């Protein structure tokens, strides 16, 4: 398991919830407040490189190293499920993510018939690790809403950042100024879908 994988494993939840927090200042990165604890725990495994990712997960999530290993095994058993559901169940599949707080779960969202649908894709044993949620919009619908609004903003030369927040079943846009958007909505030339949230804030631009 590599470093990229471990940050996917325990970082997905943080990414979705904290996606609006970006650092634009060119300064020295802050020291990792967990580093001393990571070093101490890693030493118990003789600084084995194969254990470092598990140790990092354990410290960041406040779980045992054994639990970190167990979660990685569970995650591996579900690998590819999200992509398959997106391709084969576009009308109902709403998204898939990991719930890292106890109890650990693979969360799968559907607009309807979630448990029945999953029985065609995973085993009964895997179902014990799954939490099925019902949401208003499918992931395909969220992407469609995103494309509609993104096209409208580009036509009006409104710069934006955007992302799909599957955990909250919505699409988010960030703009520096929403004056043009509000004017278009008031004039009836632009309709913002209910699942779309537009926020005002500083934009992040590529380096």
């Amino acid at each position: 398991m590599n470093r990229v994988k471990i940050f996917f494993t325990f970082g997905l939840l943080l990414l979705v919830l904290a996606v609006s927090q970006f650092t634009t200042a060119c300064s020295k990165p802050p020291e990792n407040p967990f580093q001393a604890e990571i070093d101490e725990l890693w030493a118990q495994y003789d600084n084995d490189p194969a254990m470092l990712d598990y140790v990092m997960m354990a410290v960041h999530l406040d779980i045992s190293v054994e639990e970190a290993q167990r979660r990685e095994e569970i995650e591996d058993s579900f690998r590819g499920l999200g992509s398959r559901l997106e391709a084969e169940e576009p009308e109902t599949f709403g998204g898939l993510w990991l719930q890292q707080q106890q109890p650990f779960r693979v969360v799968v969202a559907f607009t309807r018939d979630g448990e029945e649908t999953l029985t065609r894709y995973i085993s009964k044993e895997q179902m014990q690790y799954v939490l099925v949620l019902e949401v208003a919009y499918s992931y395909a619908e969220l992407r469609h809403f995103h494309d509609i609004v993104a096209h409208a903003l580009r036509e009006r030369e409104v710069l934006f950042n955007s992302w799909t927040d599957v955990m909250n079943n919505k699409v988010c846009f960030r703009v520096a100024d929403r004056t043009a958007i509000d004017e278009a909505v008031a004039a009836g030339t632009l309709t913002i879908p209910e699942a779309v949230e537009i926020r005002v804030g500083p934009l992040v631009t590529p380096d």
Side-chain angles (χ1 to χ4, degrees), residues 17-126:
L17 294 179
V19 70
S20 63
Q21 300 179 9
F22 296 90
T23 300
T24 57
C26 296
S27 59
K28 182 179 179 180
E31 294 184 2
N32 185 349
F34 301 103
Q35 192 60 53
E37 189 176 354
I38 290 172
D39 292 343
E40 180 180 354
L41 183 58
W42 192 27
Q44 298 179 24
Y45 295 90
D46 299 322
N47 292 342
D48 181 356
M51 296 301 296
L52 179 56
D53 287 342
Y54 298 117
V55 167
M56 292 174 61
M57 178 189 283
V59 171
H60 281 269
L61 294 177
D62 193 23
I63 59 177
S64 68
V65 172
E66 292 72 23
E67 174 64 11
Q69 292 174 306
R70 185 185 77 92
R71 293 186 181 191
E72 193 254 346
E73 291 175 358
I74 294 171
E75 179 192 344
D76 280 348
S77 74
F78 285 89
R79 194 162 301 281
L81 177 61
S83 298
R84 188 178 175 192
L85 290 171
E86 181 183 351
E88 299 180 15
E89 307 290 343
E91 293 184 359
T92 61
F93 174 62
L96 182 152
W97 63 92
L98 302 179
Q99 174 182 285
Q100 293 291 3
Q101 68 268 30
Q102 296 287 11
F104 172 76
R105 289 289 183 267
V106 176
V107 184
V108 190
F110 291 91
T111 59
R112 66 179 185 276
D113 305 326
E115 292 189 8
E116 179 182 346
T117 300
L118 278 178
T119 60
R120 301 196 295 270
Y121 294 89
I122 63 176
S123 66
K124 290 183 178 180
E125 181 181 356
Q126 287 176 299

Side-chain angles (χ1 to χ4, degrees), residues 163-180:
W163 61 96
T164 301
D165 182 355
V166 293
M167 295 177 65
N168 290 300
N169 199 225
K170 64 183 179 181
V171 177
C172 299
F173 286 82
R174 181 186 292 111
V175 299
D177 184 346
R178 61 175 295 154
T179 301

Side-chain angles (χ1 to χ4, degrees), residues 156 177-190:
R156 292 165 175 79
D177 184 346
R178 61 175 295 154
T179 301
I181 299 172
D182 293 338
E183 290 176 348
V185 170
T189 59
L190 174 62

Side-chain angles (χ1 to χ4, degrees), residues 142-154:
L142 293 178
R143 292 181 59 184
H144 178 63
F145 296 150
H146 173 274
D147 292 345
I148 290 174
V149 176
H151 178 72
L153 296 186
R154 292 190 185 101

